[in-house]
Amino acid sequence: ISLGNFISVCTKYFEFIEIDRETGTLMISFEEIEGQLAGQLFTVHAGHIIIGRSEKLAHIHVPDPNRTLSRQHAQFELLRSNQIYVTDLDSTNGTYVDEIKIAAPTPVVVGSSLRFGDVCCRVTAIEPI
């Protein structure tokens, strides 16, 4: 997202006229490789980001018609030494990093595959801001 970019939410359009970046945050991009939005790239600035199927409760809303994604499924956090970790939020179908089900905060790196229910993603970029 850059100055001058537009974003639409429902029927409203917004232009970015100012971007305030916190020090100590990281940018993470990932691409959905399986699911309703396969091929879509998501880019977020991590400090604390929740992914899920709820438009109201999740920062990143991912449609999931099969409802394998919980309303608040997992969160990304910037933790120790500028490393991004993903944590499962007691989801019904679990969170997997490189096809291993996680039970505690788990680091993610470029190339990591992530699975939230039936939704699969791959981390494509992580960089300091």
Side-chain angles (χ1 to χ4, degrees):
I1 298 173
S2 318
L3 292 178
N5 284 155
F6 290 88
I7 187 169
S8 65
V9 179
C10 296
T11 59
K12 307 279 185 201
Y13 290 90
F14 302 93
E15 179 181 2
F16 286 93
I17 57 171
E18 182 178 349
I19 298 175
D20 200 12
R21 293 186 171 149
E22 298 177 29
T23 58
T25 61
L26 293 177
M27 183 275 302
I28 180 172
S29 294
F30 56 95
E31 178 183 7
E32 185 169 333
I33 54 177
E34 288 180 32
Q36 187 174 357
L37 300 177
Q40 182 165 338
L41 187 69
F42 296 90
T43 300
V44 295
H45 296 119
H48 171 82
I49 303 289
I50 295 175
I51 187 169
R53 75 169 195 272
S54 173
E55 292 183 57
K56 294 180 181 180
L57 300 175
H59 300 109
I60 300 172
H61 164 251
V62 179
D64 182 23
N66 296 329
R67 299 177 67 87
T68 62
L69 205 65
S70 295
R71 284 176 277 176
Q72 289 185 306
H73 196 97
Q75 72 179 359
F76 294 98
E77 290 182 284
L78 176 63
L79 295 177
R80 305 174 275 277
S81 56
N82 283 343
Q83 174 66 55
I84 292 183
Y85 285 72
V86 65
T87 304
D88 184 75
L89 297 176
D90 296 322
S91 66
T92 302
N93 294 306
T95 298
Y96 296 77
V97 175
D98 296 325
E99 292 306 319
I100 298 170
K101 188 173 185 177
I102 64 170
T106 302
V108 295
V109 297
V110 172
S112 292
S113 67
L114 305 171
R115 184 160 53 90
F116 312 102
D118 285 346
V119 177
C120 296
C121 305
R122 183 174 328 282
V123 177
T124 60
I126 298 175
E127 59 187 70
I129 295 178

